[in-house]
Amino acid sequence: CVVFDDLLDSNQKLIEPFFTRGRHNDLDVYYLSQSYYRVDRLIRINSNIVILFKQTIRDVENIYRDIAGFDMSYDEFKSLCREAWKEKYNYLEINMLEDKNGKKYKICNESNIECKIFNPATDPF
C-alpha cells in the first residue's frame, strides 16, 4: 500500500508509474488531494475509485464532463452531488470498475457503515 499526498506538479511525474504499472505488481495506491484537477490527468484516468467531498460548482461541471457525462444528465449529477454533500462528512464514491446501473455511484457517510447506491435515471448528454 502506497499513499501519496498533494504534491507539487513537478513531483507528480515521479509517481505516475505507480498508477500505470502498480496494479500489475499487486500494489494498492492511494492519492490524497485537495483538488481533483491538481492531480495529473494520467493519474486521474488510471484511478479505479474516486471519493469526492464537497466541491465547487466548477469542479462539479468538470467532473461531470470527465466521468458522469457518460452515465446521466448534468442536472441529475448536480442533484446527486447536492444529495451526497447535504450532510457533513458525507461523500460521493465513484467506482470506475462498476456499471452505471450497478454500484458505480454511492453516497456514503464518514463511518462507511451506510452507503446509498445511486442508479442514474436519465440518459447522458
Side-chain angles (χ1 to χ4, degrees):
C1 174
V2 178
V3 178
F4 293 102
D5 200 350
D6 233 349
L7 299 172
L8 297 173
D9 293 336
S10 61
N11 291 334
Q12 288 193 35
K13 296 291 180 202
L14 299 173
I15 63 171
E16 282 180 2
F18 286 97
F19 283 86
T20 56
R21 293 187 284 266
R23 76 181 97 213
H24 304 294
N25 294 306
D26 201 27
L27 185 65
D28 291 330
V29 182
Y30 298 87
Y31 191 102
L32 306 174
S33 177
Q34 293 292 322
S35 171
Y36 180 75
Y37 284 95
R38 286 211 42 209
V39 178
D40 188 80
R41 180 158 174 74
L42 183 64
I43 295 170
R44 289 194 319 259
I45 63 173
N46 280 287
S47 296
N48 293 333
I49 297 176
V50 176
I51 294 176
L52 299 168
F53 289 90
K54 192 171 185 178
Q55 302 287 311
T56 66
I57 191 65
R58 184 175 183 185
D59 284 337
V60 168
E61 290 172 6
N62 290 327
I63 293 166
Y64 172 76
R65 285 189 200 109
D66 271 7
I67 300 172
F70 299 103
D71 299 330
M72 67 187 90
S73 71
Y74 178 57
D75 287 335
E76 187 174 19
F77 184 66
K78 283 192 307 187
S79 295
L80 171 61
C81 292
R82 197 173 298 117
E83 177 69 24
W85 304 324
K86 185 168 49 177
E87 293 184 37
K88 195 172 186 179
Y89 305 118
N90 279 8
Y91 58 90
L92 176 60
E93 177 183 306
I94 304 173
N95 186 336
M96 308 298 231
L97 302 176
E98 293 285 344
D99 182 62
K100 76 174 189 172
N101 293 316
K103 297 179 181 178
K104 184 171 185 175
Y105 298 96
K106 293 192 286 189
I107 298 172
C108 301
N109 60 21
E110 65 179 315
S111 63
N112 243 355
I113 294 172
E114 186 180 318
C115 287
K116 178 182 171 187
I117 296 170
F118 175 82
N119 291 319
T122 60
D123 291 326
F125 312 114

